[in-house]
Amino acid sequence: QVQLVESGGGQVQPGGSLRLSCTASEFTLEYYPVTWFRQAPGTEREGVAGFSDSDGSGETYYADSVKGRFTISRDNARNTVYLQMNSLKPEDTAVYYCATDLMIPRRWDDDSEYDYWGQGTQVTVSS
């Protein structure tokens, strides 16, 4: 059974940085698409950043709202996918989830395309 675990959330001031981690047990993330989503209270879950590849191409995707500020990366030796978040804004406040699936999604940011999810980690940006 695929189990994803996120960590690294917390509270930070506007303009600050956080790095989220997503690890998996009994599952090699390197070979599957992995996407970070977030959900703020009263809003729909949205895709933030993702790896599409199962072919090793390393192609990445970002929501327009985070381009230039967030970076998704992976450390295959640690079986971990990271989300480096810089220049954080109050509107980045949300629960962040990582997700994966055995198939490449038709749309990287469609949460219905992913079967496996972590429990989420809270990110709060406030002064």
Side-chain angles (χ1 to χ4, degrees), residues 94-127:
V95 178
Y96 284 71
Y97 303 89
C98 64
T100 190
D101 198 84
L102 301 180
M103 306 293 291
I104 296 175
R106 288 166 291 182
R107 279 184 49 191
W108 73 272
D109 58 348
D110 184 347
D111 62 356
S112 70
E113 298 273 353
Y114 297 85
D115 284 338
Y116 304 106
W117 294 80
Q119 82 289 350
T121 185
Q122 175 71 47
V123 172
T124 303
V125 184
S126 71
S127 54

PDB file of all heavy atoms in Angstrom, residues 94-127:
ATOM      1  N   ALA A  94      -2.202  27.478   3.596  1.00  0.00           N
ATOM      2  CA  ALA A  94      -3.046  26.353   3.208  1.00  0.00           C
ATOM      3  C   ALA A  94      -2.472  25.082   3.820  1.00  0.00           C
ATOM      4  O   ALA A  94      -1.361  25.084   4.363  1.00  0.00           O
ATOM      5  CB  ALA A  94      -3.093  26.205   1.687  1.00  0.00           C
ATOM      6  N   VAL A  95      -3.232  24.011   3.711  1.00  0.00           N
ATOM      7  CA  VAL A  95      -2.693  22.682   3.965  1.00  0.00           C
ATOM      8  C   VAL A  95      -2.120  22.175   2.637  1.00  0.00           C
ATOM      9  O   VAL A  95      -2.804  22.211   1.611  1.00  0.00           O
ATOM     10  CB  VAL A  95      -3.760  21.718   4.494  1.00  0.00           C
ATOM     11  CG1 VAL A  95      -3.164  20.325   4.697  1.00  0.00           C
ATOM     12  CG2 VAL A  95      -4.353  22.240   5.797  1.00  0.00           C
ATOM     13  N   TYR A  96      -0.884  21.729   2.683  1.00  0.00           N
ATOM     14  CA  TYR A  96      -0.202  21.256   1.486  1.00  0.00           C
ATOM     15  C   TYR A  96      -0.146  19.735   1.506  1.00  0.00           C
ATOM     16  O   TYR A  96       0.208  19.119   2.532  1.00  0.00           O
ATOM     17  CB  TYR A  96       1.204  21.837   1.424  1.00  0.00           C
ATOM     18  CG  TYR A  96       1.221  23.280   0.991  1.00  0.00           C
ATOM     19  CD1 TYR A  96       0.749  24.283   1.839  1.00  0.00           C
ATOM     20  CD2 TYR A  96       1.688  23.655  -0.268  1.00  0.00           C
ATOM     21  CE1 TYR A  96       0.734  25.608   1.435  1.00  0.00           C
ATOM     22  CE2 TYR A  96       1.684  24.978  -0.677  1.00  0.00           C
ATOM     23  CZ  TYR A  96       1.203  25.950   0.188  1.00  0.00           C
ATOM     24  OH  TYR A  96       1.191  27.267  -0.221  1.00  0.00           O
ATOM     25  N   TYR A  97      -0.478  19.141   0.370  1.00  0.00           N
ATOM     26  CA  TYR A  97      -0.508  17.699   0.219  1.00  0.00           C
ATOM     27  C   TYR A  97       0.395  17.283  -0.947  1.00  0.00           C
ATOM     28  O   TYR A  97       0.456  17.976  -1.960  1.00  0.00           O
ATOM     29  CB  TYR A  97      -1.914  17.210  -0.108  1.00  0.00           C
ATOM     30  CG  TYR A  97      -2.985  17.571   0.887  1.00  0.00           C
ATOM     31  CD1 TYR A  97      -3.685  18.761   0.781  1.00  0.00           C
ATOM     32  CD2 TYR A  97      -3.321  16.690   1.918  1.00  0.00           C
ATOM     33  CE1 TYR A  97      -4.680  19.092   1.688  1.00  0.00           C
ATOM     34  CE2 TYR A  97      -4.319  17.004   2.824  1.00  0.00           C
ATOM     35  CZ  TYR A  97      -4.986  18.201   2.708  1.00  0.00           C
ATOM     36  OH  TYR A  97      -5.980  18.517   3.601  1.00  0.00           O
ATOM     37  N   CYS A  98       1.026  16.138  -0.814  1.00  0.00           N
ATOM     38  CA  CYS A  98       1.637  15.551  -1.993  1.00  0.00           C
ATOM     39  C   CYS A  98       0.775  14.370  -2.438  1.00  0.00           C
ATOM     40  O   CYS A  98       0.092  13.736  -1.627  1.00  0.00           O
ATOM     41  CB  CYS A  98       3.079  15.119  -1.753  1.00  0.00           C
ATOM     42  SG  CYS A  98       3.333  13.818  -0.540  1.00  0.00           S
ATOM     43  N   ALA A  99       0.810  14.128  -3.721  1.00  0.00           N
ATOM     44  CA  ALA A  99      -0.023  13.084  -4.309  1.00  0.00           C
ATOM     45  C   ALA A  99       0.743  12.393  -5.427  1.00  0.00           C
ATOM     46  O   ALA A  99       1.594  12.990  -6.087  1.00  0.00           O
ATOM     47  CB  ALA A  99      -1.318  13.680  -4.850  1.00  0.00           C
ATOM     48  N   THR A 100       0.396  11.140  -5.632  1.00  0.00           N
ATOM     49  CA  THR A 100       0.998  10.389  -6.717  1.00  0.00           C
ATOM     50  C   THR A 100      -0.017   9.400  -7.275  1.00  0.00           C
ATOM     51  O   THR A 100      -1.087   9.196  -6.701  1.00  0.00           O
ATOM     52  CB  THR A 100       2.276   9.671  -6.248  1.00  0.00           C
ATOM     53  OG1 THR A 100       2.965   9.142  -7.394  1.00  0.00           O
ATOM     54  CG2 THR A 100       1.956   8.521  -5.296  1.00  0.00           C
ATOM     55  N   ASP A 101       0.337   8.810  -8.384  1.00  0.00           N
ATOM     56  CA  ASP A 101      -0.542   7.833  -9.013  1.00  0.00           C
ATOM     57  C   ASP A 101       0.308   6.902  -9.862  1.00  0.00           C
ATOM     58  O   ASP A 101       1.447   7.247 -10.228  1.00  0.00           O
ATOM     59  CB  ASP A 101      -1.599   8.531  -9.874  1.00  0.00           C
ATOM     60  CG  ASP A 101      -2.765   7.626 -10.193  1.00  0.00           C
ATOM     61  OD1 ASP A 101      -3.673   7.533  -9.345  1.00  0.00           O
ATOM     62  OD2 ASP A 101      -2.755   7.010 -11.265  1.00  0.00           O
ATOM     63  N   LEU A 102      -0.246   5.765 -10.178  1.00  0.00           N
ATOM     64  CA  LEU A 102       0.474   4.801 -11.009  1.00  0.00           C
ATOM     65  C   LEU A 102       0.464   5.196 -12.480  1.00  0.00           C
ATOM     66  O   LEU A 102       1.261   4.678 -13.266  1.00  0.00           O
ATOM     67  CB  LEU A 102      -0.129   3.414 -10.838  1.00  0.00           C
ATOM     68  CG  LEU A 102      -0.125   2.853  -9.412  1.00  0.00           C
ATOM     69  CD1 LEU A 102      -0.749   1.463  -9.393  1.00  0.00           C
ATOM     70  CD2 LEU A 102       1.282   2.821  -8.846  1.00  0.00           C
ATOM     71  N   MET A 103      -0.437   6.087 -12.844  1.00  0.00           N
ATOM     72  CA  MET A 103      -0.562   6.521 -14.231  1.00  0.00           C
ATOM     73  C   MET A 103      -0.203   7.998 -14.344  1.00  0.00           C
ATOM     74  O   MET A 103      -0.372   8.770 -13.409  1.00  0.00           O
ATOM     75  CB  MET A 103      -1.994   6.303 -14.721  1.00  0.00           C
ATOM     76  CG  MET A 103      -2.523   4.887 -14.554  1.00  0.00           C
ATOM     77  SD  MET A 103      -1.665   3.722 -15.619  1.00  0.00           S
ATOM     78  CE  MET A 103      -2.282   4.269 -17.209  1.00  0.00           C
ATOM     79  N   ILE A 104       0.273   8.389 -15.528  1.00  0.00           N
ATOM     80  CA  ILE A 104       0.526   9.804 -15.780  1.00  0.00           C
ATOM     81  C   ILE A 104      -0.811  10.506 -15.936  1.00  0.00           C
ATOM     82  O   ILE A 104      -1.651  10.086 -16.726  1.00  0.00           O
ATOM     83  CB  ILE A 104       1.373   9.982 -17.042  1.00  0.00           C
ATOM     84  CG1 ILE A 104       2.750   9.347 -16.844  1.00  0.00           C
ATOM     85  CG2 ILE A 104       1.522  11.465 -17.372  1.00  0.00           C
ATOM     86  CD1 ILE A 104       3.609   9.370 -18.077  1.00  0.00           C
ATOM     87  N   PRO A 105      -1.054  11.577 -15.180  1.00  0.00           N
ATOM     88  CA  PRO A 105      -2.340  12.257 -15.264  1.00  0.00           C
ATOM     89  C   PRO A 105      -2.525  12.963 -16.594  1.00  0.00           C
ATOM     90  O   PRO A 105      -1.563  13.427 -17.212  1.00  0.00           O
ATOM     91  CB  PRO A 105      -2.284  13.252 -14.105  1.00  0.00           C
ATOM     92  CG  PRO A 105      -0.828  13.524 -13.920  1.00  0.00           C
ATOM     93  CD  PRO A 105      -0.136  12.247 -14.229  1.00  0.00           C
ATOM     94  N   ARG A 106      -3.777  13.049 -17.028  1.00  0.00           N
ATOM     95  CA  ARG A 106      -4.055  13.800 -18.256  1.00  0.00           C
ATOM     96  C   ARG A 106      -3.807  15.281 -18.030  1.00  0.00           C
ATOM     97  O   ARG A 106      -3.370  16.000 -18.931  1.00  0.00           O
ATOM     98  CB  ARG A 106      -5.497  13.543 -18.692  1.00  0.00           C
ATOM     99  CG  ARG A 106      -5.701  12.141 -19.256  1.00  0.00           C
ATOM    100  CD  ARG A 106      -7.163  11.798 -19.370  1.00  0.00           C
ATOM    101  NE  ARG A 106      -7.769  11.639 -18.058  1.00  0.00           N
ATOM    102  CZ  ARG A 106      -9.037  11.291 -17.870  1.00  0.00           C
ATOM    103  NH1 ARG A 106      -9.832  11.086 -18.898  1.00  0.00           N
ATOM    104  NH2 ARG A 106      -9.510  11.152 -16.639  1.00  0.00           N
ATOM    105  N   ARG A 107      -4.118  15.751 -16.828  1.00  0.00           N
ATOM    106  CA  ARG A 107      -3.791  17.111 -16.421  1.00  0.00           C
ATOM    107  C   ARG A 107      -3.066  17.031 -15.094  1.00  0.00           C
ATOM    108  O   ARG A 107      -3.589  16.452 -14.139  1.00  0.00           O
ATOM    109  CB  ARG A 107      -5.056  17.960 -16.266  1.00  0.00           C
ATOM    110  CG  ARG A 107      -5.625  18.505 -17.540  1.00  0.00           C
ATOM    111  CD  ARG A 107      -6.812  19.401 -17.219  1.00  0.00           C
ATOM    112  NE  ARG A 107      -6.473  20.377 -16.166  1.00  0.00           N
ATOM    113  CZ  ARG A 107      -7.371  21.129 -15.545  1.00  0.00           C
ATOM    114  NH1 ARG A 107      -8.646  21.013 -15.852  1.00  0.00           N
ATOM    115  NH2 ARG A 107      -7.003  21.996 -14.619  1.00  0.00           N
ATOM    116  N   TRP A 108      -1.894  17.630 -15.004  1.00  0.00           N
ATOM    117  CA  TRP A 108      -1.075  17.476 -13.814  1.00  0.00           C
ATOM    118  C   TRP A 108      -1.757  18.041 -12.579  1.00  0.00           C
ATOM    119  O   TRP A 108      -1.516  17.596 -11.463  1.00  0.00           O
ATOM    120  CB  TRP A 108       0.281  18.152 -14.016  1.00  0.00           C
ATOM    121  CG  TRP A 108       0.235  19.659 -13.983  1.00  0.00           C
ATOM    122  CD1 TRP A 108       0.004  20.480 -15.048  1.00  0.00           C
ATOM    123  CD2 TRP A 108       0.385  20.497 -12.843  1.00  0.00           C
ATOM    124  NE1 TRP A 108       0.012  21.788 -14.640  1.00  0.00           N
ATOM    125  CE2 TRP A 108       0.250  21.834 -13.302  1.00  0.00           C
ATOM    126  CE3 TRP A 108       0.636  20.262 -11.500  1.00  0.00           C
ATOM    127  CZ2 TRP A 108       0.357  22.924 -12.440  1.00  0.00           C
ATOM    128  CZ3 TRP A 108       0.742  21.348 -10.636  1.00  0.00           C
ATOM    129  CH2 TRP A 108       0.600  22.663 -11.117  1.00  0.00           C
ATOM    130  N   ASP A 109      -2.635  19.034 -12.759  1.00  0.00           N
ATOM    131  CA  ASP A 109      -3.224  19.719 -11.613  1.00  0.00           C
ATOM    132  C   ASP A 109      -4.669  19.285 -11.330  1.00  0.00           C
ATOM    133  O   ASP A 109      -5.388  19.969 -10.591  1.00  0.00           O
ATOM    134  CB  ASP A 109      -3.156  21.231 -11.797  1.00  0.00           C
ATOM    135  CG  ASP A 109      -3.867  21.699 -13.053  1.00  0.00           C
ATOM    136  OD1 ASP A 109      -4.217  20.861 -13.900  1.00  0.00           O
ATOM    137  OD2 ASP A 109      -4.051  22.927 -13.190  1.00  0.00           O
ATOM    138  N   ASP A 110      -5.071  18.182 -11.912  1.00  0.00           N
ATOM    139  CA  ASP A 110      -6.416  17.660 -11.651  1.00  0.00           C
ATOM    140  C   ASP A 110      -6.324  16.669 -10.505  1.00  0.00           C
ATOM    141  O   ASP A 110      -5.817  15.555 -10.687  1.00  0.00           O
ATOM    142  CB  ASP A 110      -6.958  16.999 -12.920  1.00  0.00           C
ATOM    143  CG  ASP A 110      -8.381  16.511 -12.758  1.00  0.00           C
ATOM    144  OD1 ASP A 110      -8.869  16.449 -11.618  1.00  0.00           O
ATOM    145  OD2 ASP A 110      -9.004  16.188 -13.772  1.00  0.00           O
ATOM    146  N   ASP A 111      -6.848  17.033  -9.345  1.00  0.00           N
ATOM    147  CA  ASP A 111      -6.678  16.167  -8.180  1.00  0.00           C
ATOM    148  C   ASP A 111      -7.412  14.838  -8.320  1.00  0.00           C
ATOM    149  O   ASP A 111      -7.055  13.864  -7.648  1.00  0.00           O
ATOM    150  CB  ASP A 111      -7.059  16.883  -6.894  1.00  0.00           C
ATOM    151  CG  ASP A 111      -8.512  17.321  -6.845  1.00  0.00           C
ATOM    152  OD1 ASP A 111      -9.230  17.142  -7.846  1.00  0.00           O
ATOM    153  OD2 ASP A 111      -8.918  17.879  -5.807  1.00  0.00           O
ATOM    154  N   SER A 112      -8.401  14.775  -9.181  1.00  0.00           N
ATOM    155  CA  SER A 112      -9.121  13.511  -9.362  1.00  0.00           C
ATOM    156  C   SER A 112      -8.265  12.456 -10.071  1.00  0.00           C
ATOM    157  O   SER A 112      -8.625  11.275 -10.098  1.00  0.00           O
ATOM    158  CB  SER A 112     -10.412  13.741 -10.144  1.00  0.00           C
ATOM    159  OG  SER A 112     -10.136  14.067 -11.494  1.00  0.00           O
ATOM    160  N   GLU A 113      -7.144  12.868 -10.642  1.00  0.00           N
ATOM    161  CA  GLU A 113      -6.258  11.944 -11.352  1.00  0.00           C
ATOM    162  C   GLU A 113      -5.308  11.197 -10.420  1.00  0.00           C
ATOM    163  O   GLU A 113      -4.596  10.307 -10.854  1.00  0.00           O
ATOM    164  CB  GLU A 113      -5.422  12.720 -12.372  1.00  0.00           C
ATOM    165  CG  GLU A 113      -6.240  13.403 -13.462  1.00  0.00           C
ATOM    166  CD  GLU A 113      -6.512  12.486 -14.635  1.00  0.00           C
ATOM    167  OE1 GLU A 113      -5.972  11.371 -14.681  1.00  0.00           O
ATOM    168  OE2 GLU A 113      -7.291  12.887 -15.517  1.00  0.00           O
ATOM    169  N   TYR A 114      -5.303  11.538  -9.150  1.00  0.00           N
ATOM    170  CA  TYR A 114      -4.330  10.959  -8.216  1.00  0.00           C
ATOM    171  C   TYR A 114      -5.047  10.085  -7.184  1.00  0.00           C
ATOM    172  O   TYR A 114      -6.006  10.512  -6.543  1.00  0.00           O
ATOM    173  CB  TYR A 114      -3.552  12.071  -7.505  1.00  0.00           C
ATOM    174  CG  TYR A 114      -2.728  12.908  -8.444  1.00  0.00           C
ATOM    175  CD1 TYR A 114      -3.291  13.984  -9.128  1.00  0.00           C
ATOM    176  CD2 TYR A 114      -1.386  12.624  -8.664  1.00  0.00           C
ATOM    177  CE1 TYR A 114      -2.545  14.747 -10.003  1.00  0.00           C
ATOM    178  CE2 TYR A 114      -0.620  13.387  -9.526  1.00  0.00           C
ATOM    179  CZ  TYR A 114      -1.214  14.453 -10.192  1.00  0.00           C
ATOM    180  OH  TYR A 114      -0.461  15.212 -11.063  1.00  0.00           O
ATOM    181  N   ASP A 115      -4.545   8.906  -7.008  1.00  0.00           N
ATOM    182  CA  ASP A 115      -5.162   7.968  -6.073  1.00  0.00           C
ATOM    183  C   ASP A 115      -4.506   7.964  -4.696  1.00  0.00           C
ATOM    184  O   ASP A 115      -5.118   7.504  -3.734  1.00  0.00           O
ATOM    185  CB  ASP A 115      -5.085   6.544  -6.637  1.00  0.00           C
ATOM    186  CG  ASP A 115      -6.105   6.310  -7.730  1.00  0.00           C
ATOM    187  OD1 ASP A 115      -7.110   7.046  -7.776  1.00  0.00           O
ATOM    188  OD2 ASP A 115      -5.899   5.374  -8.527  1.00  0.00           O
ATOM    189  N   TYR A 116      -3.275   8.441  -4.599  1.00  0.00           N
ATOM    190  CA  TYR A 116      -2.538   8.307  -3.347  1.00  0.00           C
ATOM    191  C   TYR A 116      -2.149   9.689  -2.828  1.00  0.00           C
ATOM    192  O   TYR A 116      -1.532  10.481  -3.550  1.00  0.00           O
ATOM    193  CB  TYR A 116      -1.289   7.444  -3.550  1.00  0.00           C
ATOM    194  CG  TYR A 116      -1.625   6.093  -4.124  1.00  0.00           C
ATOM    195  CD1 TYR A 116      -1.354   5.792  -5.454  1.00  0.00           C
ATOM    196  CD2 TYR A 116      -2.240   5.121  -3.341  1.00  0.00           C
ATOM    197  CE1 TYR A 116      -1.676   4.562  -5.990  1.00  0.00           C
ATOM    198  CE2 TYR A 116      -2.564   3.887  -3.868  1.00  0.00           C
ATOM    199  CZ  TYR A 116      -2.286   3.614  -5.193  1.00  0.00           C
ATOM    200  OH  TYR A 116      -2.623   2.390  -5.711  1.00  0.00           O
ATOM    201  N   TRP A 117      -2.479   9.912  -1.556  1.00  0.00           N
ATOM    202  CA  TRP A 117      -2.301  11.220  -0.941  1.00  0.00           C
ATOM    203  C   TRP A 117      -1.665  11.091   0.435  1.00  0.00           C
ATOM    204  O   TRP A 117      -1.893  10.105   1.149  1.00  0.00           O
ATOM    205  CB  TRP A 117      -3.662  11.906  -0.775  1.00  0.00           C
ATOM    206  CG  TRP A 117      -4.309  12.249  -2.074  1.00  0.00           C
ATOM    207  CD1 TRP A 117      -5.010  11.410  -2.910  1.00  0.00           C
ATOM    208  CD2 TRP A 117      -4.296  13.525  -2.709  1.00  0.00           C
ATOM    209  NE1 TRP A 117      -5.432  12.096  -4.011  1.00  0.00           N
ATOM    210  CE2 TRP A 117      -5.020  13.394  -3.915  1.00  0.00           C
ATOM    211  CE3 TRP A 117      -3.759  14.761  -2.376  1.00  0.00           C
ATOM    212  CZ2 TRP A 117      -5.204  14.468  -4.796  1.00  0.00           C
ATOM    213  CZ3 TRP A 117      -3.942  15.825  -3.251  1.00  0.00           C
ATOM    214  CH2 TRP A 117      -4.658  15.665  -4.445  1.00  0.00           C
ATOM    215  N   GLY A 118      -0.909  12.114   0.787  1.00  0.00           N
ATOM    216  CA  GLY A 118      -0.433  12.200   2.153  1.00  0.00           C
ATOM    217  C   GLY A 118      -1.491  12.832   3.041  1.00  0.00           C
ATOM    218  O   GLY A 118      -2.573  13.212   2.585  1.00  0.00           O
ATOM    219  N   GLN A 119      -1.135  12.986   4.312  1.00  0.00           N
ATOM    220  CA  GLN A 119      -2.085  13.508   5.284  1.00  0.00           C
ATOM    221  C   GLN A 119      -2.113  15.033   5.304  1.00  0.00           C
ATOM    222  O   GLN A 119      -3.031  15.631   5.877  1.00  0.00           O
ATOM    223  CB  GLN A 119      -1.738  12.987   6.690  1.00  0.00           C
ATOM    224  CG  GLN A 119      -0.638  13.742   7.415  1.00  0.00           C
ATOM    225  CD  GLN A 119       0.756  13.524   6.837  1.00  0.00           C
ATOM    226  OE1 GLN A 119       0.970  12.657   5.974  1.00  0.00           O
ATOM    227  NE2 GLN A 119       1.726  14.307   7.308  1.00  0.00           N
ATOM    228  N   GLY A 120      -1.132  15.651   4.688  1.00  0.00           N
ATOM    229  CA  GLY A 120      -1.087  17.108   4.607  1.00  0.00           C
ATOM    230  C   GLY A 120      -0.235  17.725   5.693  1.00  0.00           C
ATOM    231  O   GLY A 120      -0.046  17.158   6.773  1.00  0.00           O
ATOM    232  N   THR A 121       0.298  18.900   5.381  1.00  0.00           N
ATOM    233  CA  THR A 121       1.072  19.669   6.352  1.00  0.00           C
ATOM    234  C   THR A 121       0.648  21.132   6.237  1.00  0.00           C
ATOM    235  O   THR A 121       0.512  21.665   5.130  1.00  0.00           O
ATOM    236  CB  THR A 121       2.588  19.480   6.139  1.00  0.00           C
ATOM    237  OG1 THR A 121       3.310  20.151   7.170  1.00  0.00           O
ATOM    238  CG2 THR A 121       3.053  20.017   4.784  1.00  0.00           C
ATOM    239  N   GLN A 122       0.442  21.758   7.378  1.00  0.00           N
ATOM    240  CA  GLN A 122      -0.081  23.123   7.400  1.00  0.00           C
ATOM    241  C   GLN A 122       1.035  24.127   7.169  1.00  0.00           C
ATOM    242  O   GLN A 122       2.092  24.063   7.816  1.00  0.00           O
ATOM    243  CB  GLN A 122      -0.752  23.417   8.748  1.00  0.00           C
ATOM    244  CG  GLN A 122      -1.233  24.836   8.925  1.00  0.00           C
ATOM    245  CD  GLN A 122      -2.445  25.157   8.051  1.00  0.00           C
ATOM    246  OE1 GLN A 122      -3.408  24.380   8.005  1.00  0.00           O
ATOM    247  NE2 GLN A 122      -2.422  26.311   7.378  1.00  0.00           N
ATOM    248  N   VAL A 123       0.776  25.063   6.273  1.00  0.00           N
ATOM    249  CA  VAL A 123       1.664  26.203   6.049  1.00  0.00           C
ATOM    250  C   VAL A 123       0.874  27.464   6.341  1.00  0.00           C
ATOM    251  O   VAL A 123      -0.187  27.680   5.765  1.00  0.00           O
ATOM    252  CB  VAL A 123       2.199  26.230   4.611  1.00  0.00           C
ATOM    253  CG1 VAL A 123       2.954  27.530   4.338  1.00  0.00           C
ATOM    254  CG2 VAL A 123       3.108  25.035   4.357  1.00  0.00           C
ATOM    255  N   THR A 124       1.390  28.272   7.250  1.00  0.00           N
ATOM    256  CA  THR A 124       0.742  29.526   7.618  1.00  0.00           C
ATOM    257  C   THR A 124       1.726  30.669   7.422  1.00  0.00           C
ATOM    258  O   THR A 124       2.825  30.645   7.976  1.00  0.00           O
ATOM    259  CB  THR A 124       0.269  29.490   9.076  1.00  0.00           C
ATOM    260  OG1 THR A 124      -0.623  28.382   9.259  1.00  0.00           O
ATOM    261  CG2 THR A 124      -0.444  30.778   9.442  1.00  0.00           C
ATOM    262  N   VAL A 125       1.307  31.640   6.625  1.00  0.00           N
ATOM    263  CA  VAL A 125       2.155  32.803   6.356  1.00  0.00           C
ATOM    264  C   VAL A 125       1.465  34.018   6.944  1.00  0.00           C
ATOM    265  O   VAL A 125       0.419  34.455   6.456  1.00  0.00           O
ATOM    266  CB  VAL A 125       2.387  32.993   4.848  1.00  0.00           C
ATOM    267  CG1 VAL A 125       3.358  34.152   4.603  1.00  0.00           C
ATOM    268  CG2 VAL A 125       2.906  31.707   4.220  1.00  0.00           C
ATOM    269  N   SER A 126       2.017  34.532   7.988  1.00  0.00           N
ATOM    270  CA  SER A 126       1.422  35.699   8.636  1.00  0.00           C
ATOM    271  C   SER A 126       2.478  36.421   9.449  1.00  0.00           C
ATOM    272  O   SER A 126       3.489  35.829   9.849  1.00  0.00           O
ATOM    273  CB  SER A 126       0.249  35.285   9.529  1.00  0.00           C
ATOM    274  OG  SER A 126       0.709  34.604  10.667  1.00  0.00           O
ATOM    275  N   SER A 127       2.203  37.690   9.685  1.00  0.00           N
ATOM    276  CA  SER A 127       3.122  38.475  10.505  1.00  0.00           C
ATOM    277  C   SER A 127       2.610  38.584  11.936  1.00  0.00           C
ATOM    278  O   SER A 127       3.250  39.183  12.779  1.00  0.00           O
ATOM    279  CB  SER A 127       3.305  39.858   9.895  1.00  0.00           C
ATOM    280  OG  SER A 127       2.049  40.487   9.695  1.00  0.00           O
TER     281      SER A 127
END
